[in-house]
Amino acid sequence: MKTTPLILLAASLWASAAQAETIGISISKLDTFKSVLLQGMLEHSKSIPGLRVVHETADGVKEREIEILKKFVADKVDAIIVAPSDGDLGPQMTKIAEDAGIPLVYVNNFPSNQSELPATQALVASDEKESGTLQAREVCRRLKGKGDVVVLMGQLFHAAARMRTEDVDEVFATDACKEMRIVERQAAYWSTQFGEAQMQEWLRAGVRFNAVIANNDDMAVGAIKAIKASGRPLNGIVVAGVDATKDALAAIQAGDMQITVLQSASGQGAMAIDVALKLAKGEKFPRENYVPFELVTPENLKSYLPKGQ
């Protein structure tokens, strides 16, 4: 795993930022996390003299993501940052940018051609092996290695959804957690509304569980809403998400949720800008650049409240 310190990146960039440059940013859809991701890029770009940033959102339409990329190419931007909805768009996006001779940075979602990216392209994300692993280990610890669990997943074509769910399976296969049992798992598309609807369905069906593991905080918060609306007490149910959003931190503070994992959207955004500028200047750069995940629980919540996304 290769991690590049933001401070060193920024210092070297500021020293050579006299030449004006333009970065095009394409965001697949502005959910809670990606809104903070975009804001992190915009805020960081303000600190770099001479940098111009243009951004567009595809509103969840894959064809629109490709159209935006082609528009940036036609506009002859110096570098492009994409937060794609589907990693399988990677080969097509890579070819468009490479053919145009424009550096490309993937942020947050892993392209399916990650291992084959050319030298002018890179990934900025967080190592998903950490996210679901931290989450599942803490659920197992709090339940003392025994309990029934329901899992809410993001879109299955999204690499993070697959990897976070696989992490849970791997943790529960260990000796310390082998009595943890997944009784239901369904996609809730990263959405609070779908998370709430799926939990309502499970409750109506009489599914019994000791923990809810969600691939992100929005789904976890939706599940909490459904459980509370049903009249079932949350006491004794461990609820876990990923992202450390403001809603999730508030839920932990209220005692409704016990676990989230900070994936720094603003940190990924700032690093994506730095990497894009490096590549635009023709500098060689690592293919993979990771911002570490951090476990957040009631015990260390106070130190994370200012960081809520």
Side-chain angles (χ1 to χ4, degrees):
M1 180 170 70
K2 302 173 183 175
T3 304
T4 307
L6 291 177
I7 295 175
L8 293 178
L9 274 172
S12 62
L13 286 168
W14 292 337
S16 57
Q19 181 180 349
E21 289 170 310
T22 300
I23 294 178
I25 300 171
S26 172
I27 303 291
S28 58
K29 188 177 182 179
L30 288 177
D31 55 19
T32 303
F33 183 86
K34 288 191 176 69
S35 294
V36 181
L37 177 70
L38 175 59
Q39 192 59 37
M41 288 188 263
L42 298 179
E43 287 297 322
H44 188 57
S45 67
K46 293 176 184 177
S47 68
I48 301 173
L51 177 61
R52 176 174 174 260
V53 171
V54 291
H55 61 91
E56 295 200 31
T57 305
D59 297 321
V61 180
K62 293 181 186 179
E63 293 78 10
R64 175 68 179 142
E65 294 178 62
I66 298 300
E67 289 173 7
I68 293 171
L69 184 61
K70 289 180 177 178
K71 179 180 181 296
F72 288 153
V73 166
D75 291 342
K76 300 186 186 320
V77 299
D78 297 290
I80 299 170
I81 298 172
V82 292
S85 62
D86 187 345
D88 286 341
L89 290 173
Q92 187 177 359
M93 289 180 161
T94 285
K95 186 176 189 311
I96 291 170
E98 187 176 24
D99 287 350
I102 298 176
L104 179 66
V105 176
Y106 293 93
V107 63
N108 185 243
N109 195 6
F110 293 68
S112 60
N113 60 325
Q114 176 184 338
S115 63
E116 303 165 355
L117 294 180
T120 56
Q121 300 185 13
L123 166 73
V124 172
S126 294
D127 186 355
E128 293 298 345
K129 190 67 185 171
E130 298 175 1
S131 58
T133 300
L134 287 170
Q135 185 189 46
R137 282 178 179 167
E138 183 63 12
V139 169
C140 175
R141 187 188 73 80
R142 287 179 178 271
L143 291 177
K144 298 182 174 18
K146 184 175 183 179
D148 292 338
V149 180
V150 294
V151 178
L152 291 166
M153 302 178 292
Q155 285 108 328
L156 299 183
F157 57 72
H158 197 292
R162 295 194 301 270
M163 295 172 72
R164 291 174 190 179
T165 304
E166 289 170 6
D167 291 344
V168 175
D169 289 335
E170 290 178 9
V171 169
F172 287 179
T174 63
D175 288 342
C177 306
K178 62 185 178 184
E179 292 188 67
M180 302 292 298
R181 187 169 66 111
I182 297 175
V183 294
E184 290 284 355
R185 68 173 87 202
Q186 291 292 336
Y189 312 105
W190 306 115
S191 160
T192 300
Q193 291 75 21
F194 279 104
E196 183 175 6
Q198 183 57 61
M199 179 54 69
Q200 288 171 344
E201 183 177 318
W202 283 334
L203 292 171
R204 285 194 296 268
V207 176
R208 308 301 295 177
F209 51 87
N210 307 104
V212 179
I213 294 181
N215 286 165
N216 79 338
D217 285 338
D218 284 356
M219 293 185 292
V221 169
I224 289 169
K225 288 181 178 180
I227 294 169
K228 294 175 85 169
S230 74
R232 179 176 175 178
L234 274 164
N235 291 341
I237 299 176
V238 177
V239 180
V242 175
D243 285 339
T245 64
K246 285 185 172 65
D247 286 346
L249 297 182
I252 293 176
Q253 197 166 27
D256 294 335
M257 188 169 167
Q258 292 72 38
I259 300 161
T260 188
V261 181
L262 175 67
Q263 178 183 200
S264 177
S266 58
Q268 287 185 12
M271 185 182 282
I273 291 289
D274 287 342
V275 173
L277 280 174
K278 284 279 190 179
L279 293 175
K281 294 175 187 300
E283 298 181 31
K284 291 185 178 180
F285 213 78
R287 176 185 290 137
E288 299 165 353
N289 305 275
Y290 291 123
V291 177
F293 281 102
E294 300 172 44
L295 182 67
V296 183
T297 66
E299 290 75 20
N300 66 357
L301 177 65
K302 285 184 180 179
S303 63
Y304 285 93
L305 285 174
K307 300 180 184 179
Q309 300 177 137

